[in-house]
Amino acid sequence: MRSDEEALVLSGATGGYREFRPAAALERHFQCIWSNALVHGHGASLAVVPDGCIDLTWIAGELIVAGPDVGVAVSPIAAAGTVVGIRFRPGAAAKWLGLPMSELVNSRIALAAFWGARAREIAARIGDQEAIAARMRVLQEALVRIAPDMDAPAPDMGFVFNVLGTGSGGKGMAIVLDRLDMSPRTLRRRCEEAFGYGPKTLDRILRFQRFLRFAQAPGRPRLAGLAAAAGYADQAHLTREVRRLSGFSPAAVLSQICA
């Protein structure tokens, strides 16, 4: 257990997080657009856990490429502030940013490093708005102007994400290899381009995300039941993986997201 665990706040356990469908012109490229009004202060830090996704986020006046992560990313929380973001579909970020996601693992990089002045101009226009809805609108309008020049992601990585995300009765990897007719080596290369890491790491991360979802469901079972439902071998396996991916014990995770 981290000695400063009490000062860490899970990203889903503070503020007012909301997701919305992206504009129709962006749906081929992005899963959702979202906002989070952060209100937790007193020197706490935000713990962002891996979710298998890459986002463009606007925070403190700058557009940032967030992810892909294989461990918890910690950042200070302002006493009050709003984050606006848009989440890429599997495989889309590599096309919009022009490089494989394996080069960005565990990184937070200014979008200006990829788009130069265009990114700074978009960020400034977002910052000119006061309302959260207006900030999201400006972000989407800017991306809609760019979208015609971007190829949509191939559907294979979306299929991988969906199959591994549901667990598919513990046979997710076998289903992926069979349906896509790929060798394990090809699948690993494609996943590293799209997600930043291979399918086994993606499977671990999405299993952890299933644990988080089941933990927040009404009438959730005890930890042993959550471990079985999410696809862990046993409670000890759950505990090891949650600590590795979040820095928290399962009990600490539950105390925050179920408070």
Side-chain angles (χ1 to χ4, degrees), residues 31 51-53 90 157-166 195 202 206:
Q31 296 182 47
D51 61 3
C53 300
M157 292 298 100
F159 175 76
V160 171
F161 188 91
N162 290 335
V163 170
L164 297 183
T166 60
F195 303 108
L202 179 64
L206 296 181

Side-chain angles (χ1 to χ4, degrees), residues 170-204:
K171 299 180 180 179
M173 202 70 69
I175 292 171
V176 165
L177 291 169
D178 179 64
R179 288 285 297 276
L180 295 182
D181 193 25
M182 283 185 183
S183 69
R185 182 176 180 179
T186 298
L187 177 62
R188 179 176 180 81
R189 176 179 58 79
R190 293 283 293 116
C191 284
E192 288 175 347
E193 292 172 353
F195 303 108
Y197 33 69
K200 291 184 179 179
T201 298
L202 179 64
D203 191 29
R204 289 178 51 233

Side-chain angles (χ1 to χ4, degrees), residues 55-67:
D55 293 65
L56 294 181
T57 63
W58 181 90
I59 183 169
E62 189 173 24
L63 279 167
I64 302 292
V65 179

Side-chain angles (χ1 to χ4, degrees), residues 38-122:
L38 300 173
V39 296
H40 201 292
H42 309 297
S45 293
L46 191 69
V48 181
V49 297
D51 61 3
C53 300
I54 297 97
D55 293 65
L56 294 181
T57 63
W58 181 90
I59 183 169
E62 189 173 24
L63 279 167
I64 302 292
V65 179
D69 294 324
V70 294
V72 64
V74 177
S75 60
I77 305 176
T82 299
V83 182
V84 170
I86 191 163
R87 184 162 300 135
F88 285 105
R89 289 195 180 278
K95 296 180 179 295
W96 282 71
L97 301 176
L99 78 174
M101 292 299 97
S102 55
E103 297 188 21
L104 300 181
V105 174
N106 292 334
S107 297
R108 297 293 184 272
I109 300 177
L111 185 61
F114 304 95
W115 293 2
R118 171 187 271 179
R120 290 188 288 271
E121 291 167 2
I122 297 170

Side-chain angles (χ1 to χ4, degrees), residues 1 12 22 28 34 38 46 60-61 105 109 123 126 134 149 151 162 164 172 194 228 237 243 247 249:
M1 181 74 64
R28 296 192 306 162
W34 55 267
L38 300 173
L46 191 69
V105 174
I109 300 177
I126 295 171
D149 298 326
D151 293 331
N162 290 335
L164 297 183
H237 184 204
R243 283 188 182 278
S249 68

